[in-house]
Amino acid sequence: MSGQPASGDPPCFLITDGEGGPVSDLADSIEEMQLGIGEELLRYARAMHADPKVPDREFRFLSRRLAEALGDALRVARN
């Protein structure tokens, strides 16, 4: 997963009658997982910035993961 939707991908909406359901519950749990991943990456980023000995390649790896997490968060926010 690149963290970026393919060009021209339509938005994804889940419409419910307010009662939830299995698909709505699954979507909610996936969103919670994505938020958890983003929070964990943010903790790593803050710790890495505090350590002057972190190699550049670790920052590049973290940067890619943060971009993926931000892409997921933006996709959820837009939909």
Side-chain angles (χ1 to χ4, degrees), residues 7-29:
S7 179
D9 278 356
C12 177
F13 298 100
L14 179 61
I15 300 171
T16 66
D17 59 5
E19 308 244 347
V23 175
S24 179
D25 292 345
L26 178 62
D28 289 343
S29 65

Side-chain angles (χ1 to χ4, degrees), residues 11-75:
C12 177
F13 298 100
L14 179 61
I15 300 171
T16 66
D17 59 5
E19 308 244 347
V23 175
S24 179
D25 292 345
L26 178 62
D28 289 343
S29 65
I30 290 171
E31 289 173 10
E32 285 296 319
M33 180 183 66
Q34 289 171 330
L35 288 172
I37 290 169
E39 290 170 348
E40 185 175 345
L41 286 170
L42 187 55
R43 281 192 300 275
Y44 284 132
R46 288 179 173 149
M48 288 175 74
H49 280 277
D51 183 354
K53 295 180 182 179
V54 174
D56 288 344
R57 68 185 177 99
E58 288 187 34
F59 273 114
R60 285 192 301 277
F61 179 81
L62 177 65
S63 175
R64 285 191 299 272
R65 302 296 77 82
L66 285 168
E68 290 171 357
L70 179 57
D72 289 342
L74 290 172
R75 186 171 43 255

